[in-house]
Amino acid sequence: MQSAEPKNQKSCLVATLSRYTSAVRNMEHTIMLPSLLRDVPQEEPEDSFAAEGNNKDLYEYFLMLKSVRNVVESGLMPPDERKALSVPLETLEDSDPETLFHFHLTGLFSVLNNLTTSSHMLTRRYKEVIGLSN
């Protein structure tokens, strides 16, 4: 089934994050008693994270999806996750999806902060070149 969204919008970060938060919100509204998911194993072989041997039950998976959604919506990284960049990527290959998400999100924040700093520097230098420096 093809989506009505244009292909370029599917790869848009904001649209992807919006689809994710919407899906998790729908999951929360549908699952009225999450505790019923305790001790229910993941059985879908097409789920790459389930197939990798993560032994989480569906309740833990439910909580993880909500936790990631909270980070996406708030834009704030938990303080203990900010040290994730010091961990080599090779050691994260077998990690659970939440750990991988925090690792890559930390990297994305770092790159965007560096690009923002560079943008401010370039703007300041341009103003100096044309004589508008403060």
Side-chain angles (χ1 to χ4, degrees), residues 92-105:
L92 294 173
E93 288 177 353
D94 296 327
S95 295
D96 63 283
E98 186 175 12
T99 301
L100 289 171
F101 167 76
H102 287 296
F103 176 82
H104 290 294
L105 187 61

Side-chain angles (χ1 to χ4, degrees), residues 2-100:
Q2 293 227 348
S3 171
E5 292 180 340
K7 274 190 173 185
N8 62 345
Q9 193 173 14
K10 282 186 175 183
S11 63
C12 173
L13 179 60
V14 173
T16 301
L17 293 174
S18 178
R19 282 192 307 274
Y20 175 73
T21 59
S22 177
V24 173
R25 203 171 287 116
N26 182 51
M27 175 192 75
E28 285 182 296
H29 289 299
T30 302
I31 300 173
M32 301 303 285
L33 298 169
S35 61
L36 292 176
L37 298 172
R38 287 189 190 275
D39 300 323
V40 177
Q42 298 176 30
E43 294 180 355
E44 298 180 27
E46 65 272 3
D47 183 349
S48 62
F49 293 114
E52 288 179 8
N54 291 327
N55 294 325
K56 290 185 176 185
D57 62 19
L58 291 182
Y59 180 73
E60 291 175 54
Y61 209 64
F62 174 85
L63 293 178
M64 182 269 303
L65 291 168
K66 284 180 49 177
S67 172
V68 169
R69 195 248 357 246
N70 291 338
V71 171
V72 168
E73 287 184 338
S74 71
L76 299 173
M77 292 284 293
D80 59 333
E81 296 298 335
R82 292 190 181 142
K83 61 184 174 203
L85 280 179
S86 63
V87 177
L89 183 58
E90 295 79 30
T91 63
L92 294 173
E93 288 177 353
D94 296 327
S95 295
D96 63 283
E98 186 175 12
T99 301
L100 289 171

